[in-house]
Amino acid sequence: MKNRIDRRQMLRGAALAGGGLAVSTWFPAWAQTVSAGIVRPLPTLSGNDITLRIARMALVLDGRKSNAIGINGTVPAPLLRLREGQTVRLNVVNDLDEDSSIHWHGLLVPPQFDGVPGVSFPGIKPRSSFLYEFPLRQNGTYWYHSHSGLQEQLGHYGPIVIDPAGPDPVQYDREHVLVLADHSRISPQEIFRRMKVDPGHFNLQRQTLAGLLSGRDQKLKDRLDWGRMRMDPTDVLDVTGAAYTYVVNGHGPRDNWTGLFKLGERVRLRVINASAMTNFNVRIPGLPLTIVQADGQNVHPVEVEEFQIGVAETYDAIVTPAEDQAYTIVAEAVDRSGMARATLAPRPGMAGEVPPLRKRPIATMKDMGMDMSNMSGMDHGSMQGMDHKAMAGMGHGSMKMRDFSNAPLVRKGPGVQTISPMPMDRTGEPGQGLEDAGHKVLVYKDLMALDRNPDVRAPSRSIDIHLTGNMERFMWSFDGEKMSDKHEPIPFAEGERVRVNLINDTMMSHPIHIHGHFFELVTGHGDHAPRKHTVLVQPGGKVTWDFTADAVGDWAFHCHLLYHMEAGMMRIVSVRPKGEAA
């Protein structure tokens, strides 16, 4: 039967997908016997006055208990169902014995209610409360989470849906909110400590002799080149399925969270990536997805088979199941070390086939900012004598690489391992591991705003911001400077239009988020450029966006990989009132 899981087939696929991993008696949770399916909507709160209580709790995933921080006794926190135009008052009670906070991710709120301790407010002291109050100036899919310590990693996050004041341009018969996350029984403090000691601690998918001999991994020559540069091409995610259970709506893969549908219905899936460190590749085998919204902003519908969602991004998709069968929602970690799994079904208790994990991606020279296809007369052999120190100093000499003479100073030091010699715009690419997916995968250049952008002025100036790091030491920064360096904020004048170039000098993808603003991706769509608050910058890549500094105040600007932010990849953006000296 199509809707039955052939367990032997799944286990065989799981073993094959493990590549160089040793075969053991342990198999991924998603490959084990599943429950009958959980059909349970998220707890929902609405109205103008809402109380949220932060407290420690136990979370049970796939039958295993772990420590968590929840809100009103749930992980994820309750869905906040609100309406554009209302003024909402959110009384947040902190029952922890440490400071806490809530940031309203993607919402345009006054800076004192943005929820970032040390930037816009002092935080919420233990056993005390704080009243957030602000008007809702937008609609769409958003979320909320802690900005204190390592609390978000423990489950301190929840979804927000703001219904439009007028008719919704997206027509649907039913909806499901899908909050993707990663959760570990290892404390976040211990995870961070282990990565500082050994950044590759959780990477159990390193290349093996068997992979070399079979041709599955890099060729010997390429592997030697990478070894000389002391780079690991399998280092795609810092924390992997070795530590994480991948979660949908607070349920592990074996729990099989299930959302129901009726044949022929247009089902809206509001997908939120609330994970700490995991970018996901999302697909529903046998069911096309029509993307209708990105980061809460409506876009022209785009039909795809799969999309990559960076940490802190949201995508809304319409699906129309036409068969009386169960469909598996697959959210595969980009390094293929595990997956979150849920089900769409016409009846409770059904389960679709769970595909095996696909082959893990291997980083290429393009991921180091060296597109070999564009380097005239150069082959891989010329790289053999290079190490990471040489890479950091590469300029515009005999290799005809990018000229840094007019670029902002990137502070060199132990925190800057490499500078991308030839960063390129990768917004037309589907993301690591999806280049040969064999079906249509969403790319940023597919996104086109449904409505004309609110500000279509040309930028008056342009700035470069480098995403920098040292993977060997687990050090992360912007322009070689960590948040703890106590540098000056990045200044903007109220109302000015600025072009920002994000240049990824590292070999990892970084989801970059700015508070208090939306920006327009420069992808060739003119005055219908897609508007976002978070963008995933591919390794060795470059993303350009324009934005209007229209919210006076100090705002956080950071990588949303939480341990990268904790390690220093965060700055403050300061929008100063008109007439104030720069």
Side-chain angles (χ1 to χ4, degrees):
M1 293 292 292
K2 193 171 185 179
N3 289 327
R4 280 191 189 163
I5 297 177
D6 183 337
R7 188 167 184 271
R8 285 177 297 178
Q9 180 182 358
M10 283 176 20
L11 297 185
R12 183 167 60 250
L16 290 173
L21 292 175
V23 177
S24 70
T25 57
W26 182 88
F27 289 99
W30 54 265
Q32 300 178 18
T33 304
V34 300
S35 73
I38 299 168
V39 183
R40 182 186 304 158
L42 292 170
T44 302
L45 297 173
S46 296
N48 295 328
D49 292 277
I50 294 172
T51 296
L52 301 172
R53 188 175 296 273
I54 305 166
R56 295 195 178 273
M57 57 176 284
L59 178 65
V60 178
L61 294 174
D62 290 342
R64 304 180 72 190
K65 183 183 291 187
S66 63
N67 296 322
I69 293 177
I71 294 179
N72 293 12
T74 69
V75 173
L79 166 65
L80 303 183
R81 191 88 198 210
L82 307 169
R83 183 166 293 276
E84 182 181 15
Q86 78 173 97
T87 295
V88 64
R89 290 175 293 275
L90 297 136
N91 184 40
V92 178
V93 181
N94 179 14
D95 280 344
L96 302 174
D97 54 8
E98 59 187 271
D99 286 11
S100 193
S101 59
I102 291 182
H103 164 60
W104 316 98
H105 189 99
L107 297 195
L108 302 175
V109 302
Q112 68 268 28
F113 297 130
D114 189 51
V116 183
V119 177
S120 55
F121 89 135
I124 310 172
K125 297 298 181 184
R127 316 297 174 183
S128 68
S129 64
F130 182 83
L131 182 65
Y132 294 86
E133 183 173 3
F134 47 82
L136 299 174
R137 301 164 48 195
Q138 63 211 93
N139 62 73
T141 302
Y142 303 96
W143 61 296
Y144 60 108
H145 59 82
S146 174
H147 233 289
S148 299
L150 305 179
Q151 296 171 5
E152 186 183 341
Q153 287 93 318
L154 286 168
H156 187 335
Y157 52 78
I160 302 173
V161 172
I162 304 176
D163 294 309
D168 194 329
V170 180
Q171 298 299 305
Y172 57 97
D173 304 302
R174 184 192 298 256
E175 67 178 349
H176 294 295
V177 176
L178 302 175
V179 182
L180 306 179
D182 43 29
H183 194 87
S184 180
R185 300 178 76 210
I186 307 170
S187 76
Q189 292 79 8
E190 178 61 16
I191 288 176
F192 192 46
R193 187 196 70 79
R194 293 185 191 184
M195 286 192 295
K196 292 296 288 184
V197 172
D198 173 18
H201 179 85
F202 297 104
N203 181 10
L204 302 185
Q205 298 196 94
R206 292 186 176 94
Q207 298 180 101
T208 63
L209 177 60
L212 174 65
L213 296 176
S214 69
R216 183 173 55 243
D217 296 333
Q218 286 181 313
K219 296 178 181 178
L220 177 61
K221 178 176 170 297
D222 292 339
R223 192 178 301 189
L224 291 173
D225 286 346
W226 281 76
R228 290 188 183 98
M229 292 183 289
R230 288 188 281 177
M231 298 289 190
D232 182 355
T234 67
D235 194 1
V236 175
L237 289 180
D238 293 308
V239 192
T240 70
Y244 281 141
T245 296
Y246 297 112
V247 178
V248 178
N249 291 348
H251 298 285
R254 288 182 62 189
D255 293 332
N256 187 26
W257 185 91
T258 304
L260 298 181
F261 68 82
K262 292 181 181 178
L263 290 182
E265 283 186 325
R266 286 173 56 87
V267 182
R268 183 174 189 165
L269 304 177
R270 299 179 181 265
V271 185
I272 300 166
N273 187 351
S275 65
M277 292 293 286
T278 309
N279 303 317
F280 288 105
N281 297 324
V282 179
R283 69 192 195 276
I284 305 177
L287 196 58
L289 304 117
T290 300
I291 304 299
V292 294
Q293 196 177 92
D295 284 357
Q297 306 297 294
N298 294 320
V299 298
H300 283 276
V302 182
E303 184 172 301
V304 299
E305 301 292 326
E306 186 168 6
F307 61 92
Q308 185 167 103
I309 182 169
V311 175
E313 289 188 301
T314 74
Y315 283 104
D316 287 29
I318 297 292
V319 296
T320 307
E323 301 292 336
D324 185 36
Q325 68 171 64
Y327 296 88
T328 300
I329 301 170
V330 176
E332 191 175 46
V334 295
D335 73 329
R336 312 286 166 73
S337 62
M339 68 169 70
R341 169 273 187 128
T343 296
L344 278 178
R347 293 174 297 281
M350 300 179 71
E353 181 181 353
V354 181
L357 292 168
R358 295 173 293 187
K359 180 182 176 181
R360 74 187 186 283
I362 300 291
T364 66
M365 300 307 288
K366 182 188 266 191
D367 296 321
M368 294 187 67
M370 289 182 286
D371 184 2
M372 305 305 288
S373 64
N374 291 332
M375 296 174 73
S376 172
M378 224 181 139
D379 64 14
H380 229 145
S382 62
M383 306 295 299
Q384 288 185 10
M386 297 168 59
D387 64 12
H388 75 291
K389 293 179 181 177
M391 294 289 297
M394 282 206 293
H396 52 332
S398 59
M399 297 183 72
K400 298 181 181 180
M401 295 181 179
R402 187 162 58 93
D403 186 349
F404 288 96
S405 59
N406 295 318
L409 178 65
V410 176
R411 193 179 72 178
K412 305 298 192 301
V416 179
Q417 188 176 19
T418 61
I419 290 178
S420 296
M422 299 179 65
M424 61 178 294
D425 181 350
R426 304 187 71 177
T427 56
E429 300 179 21
Q432 280 183 299
L434 295 176
E435 301 87 350
D436 302 313
H439 52 238
K440 172 60 180 174
V441 181
L442 182 74
V443 300
Y444 280 136
K445 286 188 176 180
D446 290 329
L447 299 175
M448 183 176 179
L450 191 62
D451 299 317
R452 190 170 186 258
N453 299 150
D455 190 347
V456 296
R457 293 176 297 159
S460 60
R461 65 186 177 103
S462 176
I463 64 172
D464 290 352
I465 297 176
H466 290 256
L467 318 183
T468 47
N470 186 321
M471 296 168 71
E472 286 185 330
R473 300 188 182 191
F474 202 75
M475 300 172 70
W476 303 99
S477 56
F478 288 122
D479 294 331
E481 296 184 337
K482 305 189 304 296
M483 182 67 177
S484 59
D485 292 337
K486 304 297 183 185
H487 41 67
E488 290 296 313
I490 303 172
F492 296 94
E494 180 184 5
E496 75 166 325
R497 187 86 170 144
V498 182
R499 173 157 293 183
V500 177
N501 301 302
L502 298 177
I503 300 164
N504 190 350
D505 288 328
T506 80
M507 279 175 46
M508 303 197 86
S509 299
H510 297 280
I512 303 300
H513 172 52
I514 187 170
H515 289 219
H517 298 80
F518 278 85
F519 51 77
E520 291 82 48
L521 288 180
V522 179
T523 53
H525 292 298
D527 60 4
H528 281 71
R531 305 189 73 222
K532 298 185 96 276
H533 52 61
T534 306
V535 64
L536 188 62
V537 188
Q538 297 293 334
K542 176 180 176 179
V543 168
T544 297
W545 43 263
D546 296 339
F547 91 116
T548 302
D550 56 3
V552 172
D554 289 342
W555 304 96
F557 172 68
H558 60 91
C559 177
H560 225 287
L561 296 176
L562 298 184
Y563 295 105
H564 288 192
M565 180 177 69
E566 184 72 13
M569 204 171 201
M570 178 173 173
R571 291 285 299 272
I572 304 301
V573 164
S574 184
V575 179
R576 300 171 182 178
K578 290 179 181 177
E580 185 174 305

